[in-house]
Amino acid sequence: MSCRGLLRTGGTIVLAGCCAAATMAQTYTADPGTWRPVAYSDLTFPRGEAESYASLWQDRLDESNKKAEPSNPGVPLNTSIAVGNRGASEWHFSINFQTKVVALSVLSTPHLCTDEYPSPTKGIRIKICPSRLATFENNSYSVIDGAACFVEKESGAPVEDSTATVTYAAYDIPTRAIRLRYIVSHQEIDRCAQSVALHPENATR
């Protein structure tokens, strides 16, 4: 079943009738403290697991899609814009605690990322994009909005081994936060390092 229908109530996003929790982390995460590469989804035409993350971001995807439309009403809409979420992708890191599921997602589109850091490698961009920390617990769903880095390889990026450019995430048990590390061409990007608390009162950047 597709997870659709975002309702915004008092600053909290509630996903109506959604099976996203089961999709985002289907099995118990036995070692959440281990550093793991984040997973990426293409949201242009989301299918399968990507549908859950497209649903999580539907309001911002709609916003980005509207910005992609031509400002002149007399100009025909390009079909690449009219169909699908143009240029949209996300990365995510999810944890199943058995009693609740937590998923951190960062969305990249041509119109929503607000800043960019210098990259040590030509063809690899380090963008600052919207993030959402979704928590599913006791049949309830809530989201904390924020921002995080999104590393994007362009067509001219150099050929690298699989460990050269990676975004890692891990759950830090003492601080109850998701920690993020970014490596570009084997260089640690310290200014992107981040700790995302599972509770807003503990949030740090």
Side-chain angles (χ1 to χ4, degrees):
M1 177 179 178
S2 176
C3 299
R4 298 292 178 191
L6 282 170
L7 304 176
R8 185 177 291 274
T9 306
T12 300
I13 298 173
V14 180
L15 196 57
C18 186
C19 58
T23 304
M24 290 178 175
Q26 296 183 2
T27 58
Y28 170 64
T29 307
D31 55 347
T34 300
W35 288 104
R36 291 184 283 148
V38 301
Y40 287 80
S41 296
D42 184 344
L43 301 185
T44 307
F45 298 101
R47 295 289 184 271
E49 183 184 39
E51 287 188 281
S52 294
Y53 293 98
S55 180
L56 173 65
W57 286 108
Q58 193 59 61
D59 58 327
R60 300 305 306 273
L61 288 171
D62 290 343
E63 176 188 342
S64 180
N65 293 338
K66 287 179 181 178
K67 290 181 179 179
E69 295 175 3
S71 56
N72 187 344
V75 177
L77 186 62
N78 188 307
T79 55
S80 66
I81 299 174
V83 180
N85 302 306
R86 188 186 184 201
S89 59
E90 65 85 45
W91 67 249
H92 57 269
F93 176 78
S94 58
I95 310 170
N96 187 328
F97 292 101
Q98 290 188 318
T99 58
K100 67 180 177 182
V101 173
V102 175
L104 176 65
S105 174
V106 179
L107 174 68
S108 172
T109 81
H111 303 282
L112 296 181
C113 298
T114 58
D115 202 355
E116 188 166 343
Y117 291 150
S119 173
T121 303
K122 185 178 180 180
I124 300 178
R125 301 176 64 188
I126 306 172
K127 304 189 294 183
I128 311 302
C129 300
S131 70
R132 279 183 172 168
L133 180 70
T135 301
F136 304 82
E137 186 174 17
N138 297 326
N139 296 318
S140 65
Y141 171 91
S142 63
V143 162
I144 301 170
D145 284 302
C149 288
F150 191 102
V151 176
E152 179 180 87
K153 286 190 174 184
E154 298 181 316
S155 57
V159 177
E160 301 178 312
D161 65 79
S162 60
T163 64
T165 298
V166 189
T167 298
Y168 289 103
Y171 179 63
D172 186 61
I173 296 174
T175 61
R176 300 176 67 188
I178 295 174
R179 297 174 61 198
L180 301 176
R181 291 177 57 207
Y182 295 79
I183 298 173
V184 174
S185 299
H186 295 293
Q187 297 184 49
E188 195 95 20
I189 309 300
D190 292 332
R191 67 191 309 177
C192 282
Q194 188 174 351
S195 181
V196 181
L198 267 57
H199 301 280
E201 63 270 18
N202 299 324
T204 58
R205 170 97 197 247

